[in-house]
Amino acid sequence: MSAKERREQLLAVSRKLFAEKGFDGTSIEEIATRANVSKPVVYEHFGGKEGVYAVVVDREVEALTSALTSALEAGGHPKLLVERTAMALLDYIEKNEDGFRVLVRDSPVAQATGTFSSLIGDVAMQVEHLLGAQFKKRGLDPRSSPVYAQMLVGMVALTGQHWLDARNLRKDEVAAHLVNLAWNGLAGMEKDPRLVEEYPG
């Protein structure tokens, strides 16, 4: 096996283990044992567990970012953009279950920091610009677009996490329900939303 092939083998084994057990639950010894090599071989290629984890995470972030960015940059009607983005995330999850588990296991979307939440924040910034333009067209306050972008992207991301384990609906059905809530919610937005009751401080 060439050095490049060995590196890829170690990454594949590590990705599986990190998906199953998380960063803290995985050891260099386990990686070496599953790959049928000695521990020094893993150290030689990656310098340690942190090194191999960083490469695995970087690859997953790149793959997911590429998928979501392509969906957003394709242009078209805003509803179509919501559909494409939802499908892009669900496609990624379906084809990269272990990779998605690695991203969300140690940095769930609900955390303020971490790889996955950082990625979701980047996507939300792209969505924010699209929403801002649509808000202006519809006479809504574009200053509120950042919070709506976070809500929209967060909803899709959390739904993706749920679908990964539940799989109670087909991918296209999940995407259709996401779009139904997101689009119909956006389509019926009030210009100056207020709570029905005033809640004390």
Side-chain angles (χ1 to χ4, degrees):
M1 187 178 285
S2 72
K4 185 179 179 183
E5 289 169 334
R6 177 65 73 198
R7 181 179 168 83
E8 290 305 315
Q9 179 213 19
L10 291 170
L11 285 169
V13 165
S14 301
R15 183 178 185 253
K16 191 87 178 155
L17 279 166
F18 290 137
E20 290 170 13
K21 301 181 171 193
F23 177 79
D24 290 334
T26 301
S27 68
I28 287 290
E29 188 171 356
E30 281 179 292
I31 293 169
T33 300
R34 281 224 192 156
N36 202 22
V37 298
S38 64
K39 288 196 295 186
V41 172
V42 182
Y43 286 112
E44 178 186 324
H45 282 275
F46 299 102
K49 186 171 73 166
E50 292 80 6
V52 70
Y53 183 76
V55 174
V56 169
V57 168
D58 284 349
R59 284 184 171 192
E60 294 308 321
V61 167
E62 188 178 322
L64 182 52
T65 302
S66 175
L68 294 174
T69 301
S70 295
L72 289 168
E73 288 178 347
H77 191 276
K79 184 177 182 184
L80 192 57
L81 289 175
V82 175
E83 286 181 13
R84 281 196 205 119
T85 305
M87 281 301 291
L89 177 67
L90 296 173
D91 279 340
Y92 168 81
I93 292 170
E94 186 174 62
K95 293 173 188 164
N96 302 281
E97 282 190 28
D98 285 342
F100 188 70
R101 286 186 196 283
V102 170
L103 289 179
V104 299
R105 176 183 291 279
D106 293 316
S107 56
V109 71
Q111 283 183 191
T113 60
T115 305
F116 189 60
S117 56
S118 300
L119 171 63
I120 292 304
D122 291 345
V123 173
M125 283 179 61
Q126 293 182 51
V127 172
E128 178 185 322
H129 297 297
L130 298 168
L131 284 180
Q134 287 302 313
F135 279 22
K136 281 182 189 173
K137 275 186 183 176
R138 296 167 190 268
L140 301 169
D141 185 355
R143 292 176 301 169
S144 63
S145 64
V147 75
Y148 281 99
Q150 290 289 337
M151 286 186 269
L152 190 58
V153 172
M155 178 180 74
V156 173
L158 284 170
T159 302
Q161 283 184 263
H162 169 75
W163 181 70
L164 175 62
D165 294 318
R167 296 295 175 102
N168 51 348
L169 295 172
R170 290 189 330 264
K171 177 175 61 178
D172 61 311
E173 291 175 319
V174 175
H177 285 293
L178 273 167
V179 173
N180 184 36
L181 177 59
W183 184 253
N184 290 323
L186 288 171
M189 285 198 317
E190 299 168 352
K191 287 187 179 187
D192 188 23
R194 296 270 186 245
L195 297 176
V196 176
E197 291 183 45
E198 287 298 321
Y199 294 95

